[in-house]
Amino acid sequence: MRLLTAALALGGISRLANAHEAEAVPKSQEPFVGWTKEDLDAKWGTDWGFSGISTFAHLPHTRCLQHPDEEYDIAILGAPFDTAVSYRPGARFGPRAIRAASSRQSSMRSYNPRAGLNPYADWAKVIDCGDIPITPFDNALALRQMTEAYTNLAHSKATAANAKSAVTYRNKPKLLSLGGDHSIALPTLRALNSIYGPVAVVHFDAHLDTWHPAKYPSAWIDPEDPTQQSFFTHGTMFWLAHNESLISKDKSVHAGLRTRLSGIGDNEEDTSQGWIRFSTDDIDDLGVETLAKQIVEHVGTETPVYLSIDIDVIDPGLAPGTGTPEPGGWTTRELIRVLRRIDGLNVVAADVVEVSPAFDGSGEQTALAGAQVAYEILTSMVKRGKVSEQADREPRAEL
């Protein structure tokens, strides 16, 4: 009797399960296997800001250093390195933080009204190339690794259509680095030199970063020996780049300066290296329009430019997550407005550096600022490719 009762009970459960399955899956629904790729992409191929693997702006990810045949027009590359700092470390986590902060950007919702374009859905193939795996134990080896990585990527190919485009700006791929401390500029400039020769640097920072390494006093170094590992820091890399003839003479600009100096000789040496300077206060005295105009006029619109942005150019009240904070800086909005007004520059590579998330606020405002600045740079790169295209299409007057 018990066996009969159990059998009847199991039969009932089976019928209920079959009935539920019939209700849950309509007979008219197609089976999962065999659906078209377009169907699957439409259903599962998008992410919310809080979902998906953390690449910059949900871009496709390729480990470009392992896949040198990968074609792209603009690449995002992380440089998680911070062992050349003079104060607070932590920027090795900057690339991760900036990527996370970019999560509300995506190809389906990143139209930039000021430029009239979506940088992720225009002429440029933009990808995230991941990070350079940089040693934290040996700065000489780290510099060698970064130099080789940037040089390899500098010789990558643009997508086939753009490599042959009549718009010359599209012919070579561009690179946007996420630091990392500011010393990553030296290996980047070495790589750019192999393609463009000396380039101009447009440098937004609270600090000069053109100091002679001996300005950091030490009885343990020979101030006349530039081969010493300790000469490579985040405050000396432009001095080193100048000595290697990587920077165009009398074309480079600092903006947002407000640091303390060892003496007026710091500015004099900076001038001798071919730089001009705009202080933080100049944005109040000149205004955004005039400041930006003077930068563009000094550099020129055809000179190849390395655009380098230390997040500490922003006031630490708004961007506390950085290694060498200096009170009295620009607002995030002021920096972005200046960047928008210099978008006529011929930017061939750029960086956003010194984001150190351990010192950021609970709202991650420094990383958010870094992600927004990167978005503005990408927008300007894509806009430059479109403006050049329009100029090439306009009829030229007869001589």
Side-chain angles (χ1 to χ4, degrees), residues 81-82 89-99 101 178-182 309-312 319-323 352-360 364-371:
F81 174 74
D82 65 3
R92 69 181 64 180
F93 298 104
R96 181 183 297 177
I98 295 171
R99 285 188 175 103
L178 308 178
D181 72 47
H182 214 155
I309 300 172
D310 188 326
I311 208 68
D312 72 22
T322 192
V352 180
V353 297
E354 298 286 356
V355 172
S356 189
F359 305 104
D360 212 353
E364 302 173 344
Q365 59 267 43
T366 312
L368 284 168

Side-chain angles (χ1 to χ4, degrees), residues 15 27 43 49 71 77 101 134 160 177 181 199 235 262 266 276-277 326 331 336 340 388 392:
R15 284 192 297 275
K27 293 181 179 179
K43 288 185 174 183
E71 295 179 352
L77 181 69
I134 308 165
S177 296
D181 72 47
V199 299
S262 61
D266 291 356
I276 66 167
R277 295 174 296 281
E326 302 284 358
T331 66
I336 290 172
R340 289 173 172 177
S388 298
D392 287 345

Side-chain angles (χ1 to χ4, degrees), residues 62-69 153:
T62 300
R63 293 180 68 96
C64 300
L65 292 167
Q66 292 176 257
H67 301 277
D69 293 331
L153 291 179

Side-chain angles (χ1 to χ4, degrees), residues 202-279:
V202 176
H203 174 222
F204 291 87
D205 201 322
H207 311 91
L208 289 169
D209 294 349
T210 56
W211 282 291
H212 188 293
K215 289 293 177 75
Y216 296 101
S218 175
W220 301 93
I221 66 170
D222 178 358
E224 304 302 324
D225 180 8
T227 65
Q228 294 172 104
Q229 179 175 304
S230 63
F231 272 34
F232 172 59
T233 76
H234 73 158
T236 63
M237 70 287 176
F238 289 137
W239 180 87
L240 292 168
H242 167 73
N243 287 348
E244 294 181 22
S245 301
L246 305 179
I247 300 177
S248 297
K249 184 174 177 58
D250 300 326
K251 285 288 186 181
S252 294
V253 179
H254 304 289
L257 297 172
R258 61 187 184 278
T259 188
R260 294 162 298 282
L261 304 176
S262 61
I264 195 61
D266 291 356
N267 281 344
E268 293 169 349
E269 185 170 344
D270 183 74
T271 299
S272 72
Q273 294 177 39
W275 295 77
I276 66 167
R277 295 174 296 281
F278 293 97
S279 72

Side-chain angles (χ1 to χ4, degrees), residues 139-194:
N139 278 9
L141 175 57
L143 178 56
R144 176 186 163 195
Q145 290 174 321
M146 289 188 285
T147 300
E148 185 170 328
Y150 281 115
T151 301
N152 288 349
L153 291 179
H155 289 85
S156 297
K157 295 179 181 179
T159 54
N162 287 317
K164 296 182 290 186
S165 172
V167 182
T168 55
Y169 186 75
R170 300 184 184 184
N171 296 159
K172 296 186 176 86
K174 310 295 183 285
L175 191 65
L176 173 57
S177 296
L178 308 178
D181 72 47
H182 214 155
S183 66
I184 71 168
L186 177 61
T188 310
L189 286 167
R190 288 175 173 176
L192 293 175
N193 186 259
S194 68

Side-chain angles (χ1 to χ4, degrees), residues 200 202 250-253 292-305 342-347 384:
V202 176
D250 300 326
K251 285 288 186 181
S252 294
V253 179
K293 182 181 179 182
Q294 290 186 14
I295 291 173
V296 174
E297 287 177 347
H298 181 76
V299 176
T301 57
E302 299 304 320
T303 306
V305 171
I342 63 170
D343 64 3
L345 294 174
N346 181 21
V347 176
R384 170 86 183 191

